[in-house]
Amino acid sequence: MDRTLTLLGIESSCDDTAAAVVRAGGGAKILSSVVLGQTALHADFGGVVPEIAARAHAERLDGVVEEALAQAGLGLAEVDGIAVTAGPGLIGGVLSGVMLARGLAAATGKPLVAVNHLAGHALTPRLTDGIAFPYLMLLVSGGHCQFLAVEGVDRFRRLGGTIDDAPGEAFDKTAKLLALPQPGGPAVEAEAALGDAKRFAFPRPLLDREGCDMSFSGLKTALLRARDALVAEKGGITVQDRRDLCAGFQAAVADVLAIKTARALELCGMRPTALCVAGGVAANQMIRARLVAVAERAGVPFLAPPLRLCTDNAAMIAWAGIERLRAGLETPPDFAARPRWPLDDRAPALLGSGKKGAKA
Ligand code: KG4
Ligand code: ZN
């Protein structure tokens, strides 16, 4: 059996300052997971401001790490190592985390593990459900949208992804266009529940293109045109117009994700142990139901980790660190923080960056 390992994880690649302690022996146990969000700090700017994010991480990381250790009931001397997100993400924030982790590792003599943020998301189903490789992961959030064949701790094959906006970003922009609150996903979903998805014929981009790449920015433009046409016609939009616009938009996103997921299952060239989904958009009931149906049709179990572990957190980083240590994957002492860091070097670069800055 694998030896028991307890790791401190640190995450600061976007707009969540997070630290967690995870212990893995027979199974895995999250001893603590602290996430301090920055939504309020960026609210006036319509997106994450990298400089503000970096400063907030630098100011808050110490306290968040202390809190995570306190909640776990452990001192720094009692952990077996420190895992830190070394990219991809907003470089100022990533550097804040890496510098702190380096300092803690140097002071304690504990091993330091550099973790790819996307690997943290991709390996989460093993933390929560202990599933075996290989599996198919759909990462779908405000900053990411990609299909990954997860074949090993350090073996990821990217099957496709968005070539422009991430779906969460499209939900957020839609909410903005319709004067709904941020984050847009839950607000648009609530409106859509009361709307007629058939009233507006929004496009389903790239369905005619082979493979699993997706595009969501045209959808947002179509919604803008539909809104402006209503305004030109009637001088404004009614409550029901807004609900119908949201319903039409959500149905289009759900269709694209469902059809491309079915295609990814066909094209992945393996028998996956599960179809897994992570990221904030996985909270959407309609999208989730469509993905469950796709998995059922393919005869593959569906797995979505609890939402607090689907969205950005440090438990996934600690866990990925444990997996890497167990697999004997070493972090070179001079590793660099990387704003871009694709999980699959062989896959062609994606053009999209996502609202929260450049992501691989
Ligand atoms: O994974 P996450 O918390 O953060 C990152 O983007 O890294 O995802 C947040 C995104 C936001 O864009 C938000 O609008 C979207 O997930 N989201 C949703 C829903 N809840 C959150 N999108 C659609 N439907 C939802 N219910
Ligand atoms: Zn993330």
Side-chain angles (χ1 to χ4, degrees):
M1 206 194 358
D2 288 318
R3 78 182 166 106
T4 299
L5 277 175
T6 306
L7 251 66
L8 170 67
I10 296 175
E11 156 63 38
S12 57
S13 65
C14 190
D15 59 350
D16 290 301
T17 311
V21 181
V22 175
R23 174 167 291 161
K29 189 155 194 267
I30 299 172
L31 302 183
S32 65
S33 179
V34 180
V35 180
L36 193 55
Q38 301 180 0
T39 308
L41 291 181
H42 304 284
D44 290 344
F45 303 96
V48 177
V49 182
E51 291 77 8
I52 295 177
R55 175 176 295 211
H57 287 306
E59 286 171 0
R60 297 168 167 191
L61 267 167
D62 287 5
V64 167
V65 167
E66 275 174 20
E67 180 66 30
L69 288 167
Q71 284 186 18
L74 295 177
L76 200 51
E78 291 164 282
V79 302
D80 298 308
I82 298 149
V84 63
T85 300
L90 300 173
I91 193 64
V94 176
L95 277 169
S96 300
V98 167
M99 307 249 281
L100 174 64
R102 272 196 198 286
L104 295 177
T108 57
K110 309 276 181 190
L112 181 59
V113 190
V115 169
N116 181 309
H117 176 88
L118 300 173
H121 281 301
L123 294 170
T124 299
R126 291 170 53 78
L127 163 65
T128 55
D129 293 80
I131 67 166
F133 299 118
Y135 52 90
L136 183 70
M137 162 65 72
L138 167 60
L139 268 183
V140 63
S141 69
H144 328 286
C145 184
Q146 49 185 287
F147 293 106
L148 291 166
V150 186
E151 297 174 326
V153 173
D154 205 23
R155 278 178 50 206
F156 306 93
R157 251 187 316 123
R158 203 186 66 217
L159 304 166
T162 182
I163 60 165
D164 42 53
D165 294 353
E169 183 180 11
F171 269 96
D172 294 341
K173 287 179 178 167
T174 293
K176 215 165 159 187
L177 292 173
L178 298 176
L180 292 167
Q182 298 291 320
V188 171
E189 181 174 18
E191 293 287 306
L194 304 167
D196 171 8
K198 298 216 163 60
R199 180 169 158 208
F200 297 97
F202 289 130
R204 271 67 172 157
L206 296 196
L207 287 193
D208 53 350
R209 192 194 280 188
E210 279 179 28
C212 326
D213 281 346
M214 292 163 282
S215 161
F216 296 99
S217 74
L219 201 45
K220 167 200 69 200
T221 313
L223 181 118
L224 174 63
R225 289 219 187 90
R227 183 202 69 176
D228 288 351
L230 289 169
V231 173
E233 189 189 322
K234 308 192 284 195
I237 61 168
T238 64
V239 169
Q240 194 57 44
D241 290 338
R242 183 156 82 176
R243 291 173 178 162
D244 295 344
L245 287 166
C246 286
F249 165 82
Q250 180 177 269
V253 176
D255 269 358
V256 172
L257 286 172
I259 291 167
K260 291 287 179 165
T261 302
R263 207 174 282 176
L265 279 166
E266 273 167 36
L267 294 177
C268 64
M270 61 186 192
R271 178 81 201 150
T273 56
L275 167 65
C276 303
V277 54
V281 180
N284 185 288
Q285 292 302 318
M286 183 191 199
I287 292 173
R288 188 183 274 243
R290 296 287 305 274
L291 297 175
V292 168
V294 167
E296 258 173 29
R297 270 200 299 277
V300 173
F302 176 84
L303 203 163
L307 200 61
R308 71 196 162 81
L309 295 172
C310 271
T311 55
D312 286 353
N313 68 87
M316 69 179 190
I317 303 304
W319 172 255
I322 288 171
E323 293 247 48
R324 290 188 71 83
L325 281 181
R326 281 184 167 168
L329 294 163
E330 294 199 357
T331 295
D334 60 346
F335 76 91
R338 295 175 62 176
R340 283 191 175 271
W341 185 2
L343 275 181
D344 179 355
D345 286 332
R346 291 153 306 178
L350 286 174
L351 300 175
S353 57
K355 74 170 185 238
K356 293 178 175 174
K359 297 218 173 179

